[in-house]
Amino acid sequence: MNKTIRVLIAKPGLDGHDRGALVIAQGLRDEGMEVIYTGLRQTPAQIVATAIQEDVDCIGLSILSGAHNELFPEVMKLLKENQADDILVIGGGVIPDEDISFLKEHGIAEIFTPGTSIKEIADFIRTNIEEKINKQSRPASVNKIDHIGIAVKNLDNVIPFYKDILGLTYLGMEEVKDEGVKIAFFEIGGIRIELLEALHQESPIYKHIEKRGEGIHHLAFEVENITEQFSRLRQRQISLLQDHPKNGAHGTKVGFIHPKSSYKVLIELCEKS
Ligand code: ZN
């Protein structure tokens, strides 16, 4: 791996002893990592802000005061709220065995108790960051074309063309209020054709027709875990139209790739319920 791993060593809470934290910080530097140390008595909010600002790969929380069960989960919560929960978080200090599983349930990847060697900690960080990078650089896994969306001004005018002239199987109609559309569904060879009519002038379909006229609107791929595909795409600097997947027709979860990232084709990913 070529990337230099950046680590934030942080001291949450009120205890005033940082000899252990400083030893770890220096030890990880000796292992070739870039290490930033927060200093004593940091709040979870300060730690998370520093981690994001410094764009670290890993946060090492060190604590002796016994307040780990409150402070560590708080750090994890704030990371999630700031969409920074891809940062690896490990903990160390005086932490009783019975608290370790509780902390791991809250997303702390590992707890290192006194006596652990720096080498062990460094190896753990390296292995995890490498795995994460490998995982994130995988392509999005799309299974098949699920449907093709076609923008139309008036469903009643267009339905007979697909139904009676082309002879496609007509599956019925559904309104998707969230999208401001009424959809007529057809099926051909396991792929759906969706005719999309705007319900009102705020509908993206209304705007599409105003700008480009009727015609093909989007191409939809079926995926298994849309949230994971979103994060893989983001890692590849692909722009998405939503931060999070939303509800589509038939109880699906859907999200769109911004056409500027997909050579002008609006691409939808959809996960079946
Ligand atoms: Zn669609």
Side-chain angles (χ1 to χ4, degrees):
M1 193 174 69
N2 306 318
K3 184 185 183 307
T4 304
I5 295 174
R6 289 169 66 78
V7 182
L8 179 71
I9 296 294
K11 285 283 302 177
L14 298 175
D15 74 84
H17 304 279
D18 61 358
R19 215 181 73 85
L22 291 169
V23 168
I24 302 280
Q26 189 53 50
L28 293 178
R29 279 188 197 113
D30 294 342
E31 289 280 338
M33 300 181 188
E34 279 175 27
V35 182
I36 300 145
Y37 173 53
T38 58
L40 288 167
R41 300 191 182 91
Q42 297 283 301
T43 65
Q46 286 171 317
I47 293 168
V48 168
T50 307
I52 292 170
Q53 198 183 340
E54 296 288 347
D55 193 23
V56 298
D57 306 292
C58 172
I59 301 174
L61 297 169
S62 163
I63 201 160
L64 300 168
S65 69
H68 45 267
N69 283 351
E70 296 88 61
L71 294 169
F72 286 15
E74 180 67 12
V75 168
M76 299 312 293
K77 193 183 119 217
L78 291 169
L79 284 171
K80 199 163 196 170
E81 281 172 16
N82 289 280
Q83 272 116 45
D85 48 340
D86 57 327
I87 298 176
L88 175 74
V89 181
I90 57 175
V94 182
I95 294 170
D97 279 352
E98 61 265 29
D99 292 346
I100 291 178
S101 60
F102 169 81
L103 294 173
K104 285 189 174 174
E105 272 165 34
H106 280 81
I108 314 288
E110 191 56 89
I111 299 290
F112 297 100
T113 47
T116 314
S117 72
I118 299 280
K119 173 100 179 53
E120 271 175 75
I121 299 172
D123 285 345
F124 181 86
I125 296 172
R126 265 191 291 265
T127 310
N128 272 269
I129 303 286
E130 266 167 49
E131 259 173 32
K132 202 167 269 182
I133 288 170
N134 290 340
K135 207 174 153 194
Q136 285 165 341
S137 60
R138 270 188 260 155
S141 65
V142 300
N143 292 342
K144 66 178 194 67
I145 292 177
D146 183 77
H147 63 270
I148 297 163
I150 298 172
V152 304
K153 283 182 184 160
N154 184 309
L155 285 178
D156 295 335
N157 291 347
V158 185
I159 286 171
F161 173 76
Y162 286 91
K163 199 165 134 190
D164 305 326
I165 296 180
L166 291 180
L168 266 54
T169 310
Y170 179 53
L171 303 174
M173 241 190 271
E174 183 179 331
E175 276 188 16
V176 182
K177 291 249 158 56
D178 283 359
E179 285 290 322
V181 288
K182 190 154 90 175
I183 309 173
F185 298 93
F186 292 88
E187 197 263 342
I188 173 85
I191 294 170
R192 286 194 319 281
I193 304 286
E194 299 189 358
L195 305 181
L196 309 159
E197 181 193 301
L199 287 173
H200 47 71
Q201 299 199 347
E202 293 309 306
S203 164
I205 296 302
Y206 182 87
K207 289 171 184 164
H208 176 92
I209 291 176
E210 284 277 282
K211 238 165 127 180
R212 300 202 178 79
E214 293 177 296
I216 290 184
H217 178 258
H218 68 273
L219 182 60
F221 293 106
E222 185 191 295
V223 297
E224 239 133 67
N225 183 337
I226 191 166
T227 309
E228 191 185 326
Q229 310 315 328
F230 259 41
S231 79
R232 288 189 197 181
L233 290 166
R234 263 196 213 102
Q235 282 299 320
R236 296 295 195 83
Q237 272 75 51
I238 297 296
S239 298
L240 302 165
L241 287 182
Q242 300 85 22
D243 288 337
H244 304 285
K246 52 182 187 172
N247 298 325
H250 300 138
T252 54
K253 274 197 258 170
V254 303
F256 290 87
I257 297 176
H258 196 294
K260 75 180 179 194
S261 282
S262 49
Y263 301 90
K264 304 290 178 215
V265 177
L266 178 59
I267 291 180
E268 173 185 344
L269 302 181
C270 64
E271 179 188 329
K272 299 267 164 66
S273 55

